[in-house]
Amino acid sequence: MTESAARYAAVCVDHPLPQLNQLFDYRIPVELADQVQAGCRVSVGFSNRKLKGTVLAVRDHADFPGKILPILDVVPPGPVLTAEVAELAQRIADRYAGNLADVLRLALPERKIRVEKEDPAERLPVAAPDLAHWDRYNAGEAFLRAVHDGKAPRIAWSALPGEDWALRLAEAAAAAAEAGRGALLVVPDQYDLERLDRALNAVLGPDRHVTLSNAMGPTPRYRSFLKALRGEVRVVAGTQVAMFAPVEDLGLVAVWDDGDKNLISLHAPHPHAREVLLTRAELAGAACIVGGFARTPQAQLLVETGWAVSAAGRREALRASAPRVVPIGDDADLKIDPSSSTARLPSVAWEAARKALTADLPVLLQVPRRGYVPAVSCQRCRTRALCPDCTGPLRLTGPRRPPVCTWCGRVDDPHRCAECGSNRIRAVVIGAARTAEEIASAFPGVEVVESNASERLDTVPAGARVVVSTPGVEPRAPQGYGAVLLVDTWAQLTRAELTASEEALRIWMNAVALCAPGGTAVVTADGGLQVVQALIRWDAAWFAGQELADRAELGFPPVMKFAALTGLNGEAEKLAADLPSDLDVEIIGPIPVDEHHERLLLRVRRRDGAALAAVLAKAVAERSSAKAEQVRVQIDPREIA
């Protein structure tokens, strides 16, 4: 091949340094001319090292005027990055002020050679789904018909109590697949994914979809990735690691329970699956579902800006499926039961539990914290009990046991209050294990089981029993729970976070959704609170609208765009001082992180978010090139997003 006929590859090299966040030109050797294509993985020489990279484009010219090195090798099995995902990766890197190489690392799983040798499977047909259940929602059946017709409708879906959301998502995926288009469904965790997997098998039939998650291991994950890449299946379901899955002719994206923090990637640049899927819907011209029992202000903003339509349950469907929700804590309750303001389980809750157990139905009791007594204080002076070694909070692990440090594990025996010297302690927060003990004493002969993050139950058998669960791991009951009791609600409502009320409603609605129609849900909170009113009326859209209006007035996300700068004391301020004045950036802080580090918050108008991300990415790259102290940049910081 002559120099004039040479071809070049624009390669994103796998390198973490921000100043190298660009494409590098490499010459394509004659012997590799038929193998190097856009989307394939290659080996290249870089700074006297051999590194992997991804080819983003193949062209007849090179932008770099100097000496151009050749590509050393092509990594099988050929192109693994589709054009749609490549453009998506660049969009997400720009949005989050991140490196393209980091985003591609999220999109492309670890290679497993033996999987590449497996014979491809033939894609199986998918039957048309039943749309009847979606008719219970305004715009529901119309949405699915539009998906089936190849259109790109978008909805913010508020599911009815007791809804089998996994089956509804499977029906939506079937509508897209039957029309010859692909579907990508993302859920918060492995348990949700297993439920969705079963629903997809029931609706689509076996071998018509794949799942993607970290829990399945590298080899099965790579196998699922290749099946999707080769078009052997049209439907992909997964946790947030599936958000970049290579779905052929994408026609539908869906995210369930988008307020769950598990949907935020733990790896840089920490994209949220919801934002990735919304971007994919725009790029691919795909339909979109942002669904959950609750609704986030971010989803409500999509409705209020006209990007999506609200799909909520019809009035008659809500009346037929909703349990009775009883609040505790207002003046009327105090007149009837004076102890209701101080008792963990007021008489109304005990009666609801007793009635359900008598009817041979299970009872769900949601407790905010796991453990026995997660926090204790001095009984005499009420000072929080802290570890004398590391000052971490002390907790109790069981009855008649000395307190233990939550941080370092030190057993504080004998314990003495640092303020008054007393050796007596009291519970600040009651955990799930201690609550289970109390319930077992109150209902002798009734089985009491516990579900928590380390020992999670997926389902419980039919019959009278009490299930004590922490939020997010509540098991399902075959016919629903006869009663759902939400206790210690103050622990959620008083958290020092912007999303405290929003998160409280989300975990409450997820629990109450498990209640049987005609059952009773008791929430130990004042019925006059907006968040409790939304639960009583099962109107998450109304509450999300109120939250959105409040945040607009106060200048908080998602109405305004935030970025967090974290670094050594003074370094974040140096970076912020060089930001262009036309961005009109408001600087909040610095906020101490620890003795040596601080954090700044930057606030701009939403329309200036992309410009802020670009400026911050450039500033970080310049600091890295100058070998200055690094400042970590996070767009839409988890603490306030």
Side-chain angles (χ1 to χ4, degrees), residues 110-133:
E110 179 185 353
R111 182 188 177 211
K112 294 296 176 182
I113 297 176
R114 67 182 182 88
V115 175
E116 297 168 357
K117 300 177 181 179
E118 297 173 358
D119 293 331
E122 181 182 357
R123 185 166 62 201
L124 301 174
V126 174
D130 180 9
L131 307 183
H133 292 286

Side-chain angles (χ1 to χ4, degrees), residues 171-244:
E171 290 162 358
E178 203 268 334
R181 302 195 70 184
L184 174 58
L185 316 175
V186 177
V187 295
D189 58 41
Q190 185 65 27
Y191 285 86
D192 289 334
L193 180 57
E194 290 171 1
R195 181 175 178 183
L196 181 57
D197 182 37
R198 292 190 293 268
L200 287 167
N201 276 323
V203 173
L204 303 178
D207 302 321
R208 287 165 172 82
H209 79 281
V210 294
T211 60
L212 280 168
S213 73
N214 280 330
M216 63 196 303
T219 298
R221 181 182 169 189
Y222 190 58
R223 181 179 292 113
S224 293
F225 174 84
L226 288 183
K227 283 180 176 291
L229 179 69
R230 294 165 175 167
E232 297 174 30
V233 294
R234 293 193 186 276
V235 178
V236 176
T239 56
Q240 50 90 7
V241 301
M243 55 190 169
F244 292 101

Side-chain angles (χ1 to χ4, degrees), residues 69-81:
L69 298 176
I71 288 177
L72 301 178
D73 198 7
V74 177
V75 179
V80 291
L81 182 70

Side-chain angles (χ1 to χ4, degrees), residues 225-534:
F225 174 84
L226 288 183
K227 283 180 176 291
L229 179 69
R230 294 165 175 167
E232 297 174 30
V233 294
R234 293 193 186 276
V235 178
V236 176
T239 56
Q240 50 90 7
V241 301
M243 55 190 169
F244 292 101
V247 180
E248 182 181 359
D249 192 14
L250 189 62
L252 171 71
V253 297
V255 57
W256 173 255
D257 200 10
D258 67 298
D260 195 310
K261 300 296 187 184
N262 286 324
L263 291 169
I264 302 175
S265 175
L266 296 176
H267 304 286
H270 310 288
H272 194 299
R274 176 189 58 234
E275 304 308 317
V276 174
L277 294 185
L278 294 180
T279 306
R280 292 197 78 164
E282 288 279 6
L283 290 175
C288 180
I289 301 173
V290 180
F293 291 113
R295 181 176 295 180
T296 60
Q298 288 80 359
Q300 184 62 22
L301 183 62
L302 300 177
V303 174
E304 296 191 8
T305 56
W307 195 89
V309 173
S310 179
R314 301 185 188 278
R315 188 182 299 272
E316 60 275 13
L318 180 58
R319 281 199 298 263
S321 60
R324 184 173 69 103
V325 179
V326 180
I328 297 294
D330 56 20
D331 293 339
D333 296 322
L334 290 174
K335 289 181 180 179
I336 298 172
D337 182 8
S339 67
S340 64
S341 63
T342 56
R344 292 190 73 218
L345 279 180
S347 58
V348 173
W350 288 112
E351 284 302 318
R354 189 174 290 108
K355 181 179 177 181
L357 295 172
T358 302
D360 201 31
L361 291 173
V363 173
L364 174 64
L365 199 155
Q366 186 193 74
V367 182
R369 298 283 295 275
R370 60 180 293 189
Y372 192 77
V373 178
V376 292
S377 66
C378 175
Q379 185 164 322
R380 179 189 295 171
C381 68
R382 300 298 194 260
T383 299
R384 186 71 178 267
L386 302 177
C387 175
D389 284 352
C390 70
T391 70
L394 296 180
R395 61 189 173 95
L396 297 181
T397 58
R400 294 178 296 279
R401 293 181 184 175
V404 177
C405 179
T406 301
W407 293 355
C408 69
R410 179 189 190 275
V411 178
D412 190 24
D413 188 20
H415 169 75
R416 292 288 178 183
C417 176
E419 291 294 323
C420 69
S422 173
N423 64 351
R424 304 190 66 185
I425 56 176
R426 66 188 295 271
V428 175
V429 179
I430 302 296
R434 173 60 182 164
T435 302
E437 277 190 5
E438 294 176 352
I439 294 298
S441 299
F443 295 105
V446 175
E447 182 185 9
V448 179
V449 296
E450 186 181 348
S451 179
N452 55 53
S454 59
E455 297 180 356
R456 180 171 180 170
L457 302 176
D458 189 25
T459 58
V460 293
R465 61 180 42 80
V466 178
V467 180
V468 179
S469 175
T470 50
V473 295
E474 300 89 350
R476 290 176 294 123
Q479 284 81 43
Y481 290 95
V484 173
L485 314 178
L486 309 175
V487 303
D488 297 342
T489 55
W490 57 268
Q492 292 139 351
L493 294 174
T494 59
R495 290 165 59 191
E497 294 180 10
L498 174 67
T499 59
S501 295
E502 171 196 335
E503 177 67 4
L505 182 60
R506 186 184 74 83
I507 63 177
W508 293 349
M509 294 188 87
N510 286 350
V512 173
L514 301 174
C515 196
T520 300
V522 179
V523 52
T524 57
D526 189 341
L529 298 174
Q530 285 188 344
V531 64
V532 180
Q533 280 294 308

Side-chain angles (χ1 to χ4, degrees), residues 569 592-598:
N569 293 338
V593 175
D594 55 36
E595 184 180 354
H596 302 291
H597 295 82
E598 64 184 14

Side-chain angles (χ1 to χ4, degrees), residues 16-22 97-99 575 613-628 630-631 633:
L17 291 180
Q19 68 266 35
L20 302 180
N21 184 32
Q22 63 184 72
N99 292 351
L575 191 156
V615 168
L616 291 175
K618 181 180 178 182
V620 169
E622 290 174 348
R623 289 178 65 87
S624 179
S625 182
K627 294 182 169 50
Q630 285 302 295
V631 174
V633 172

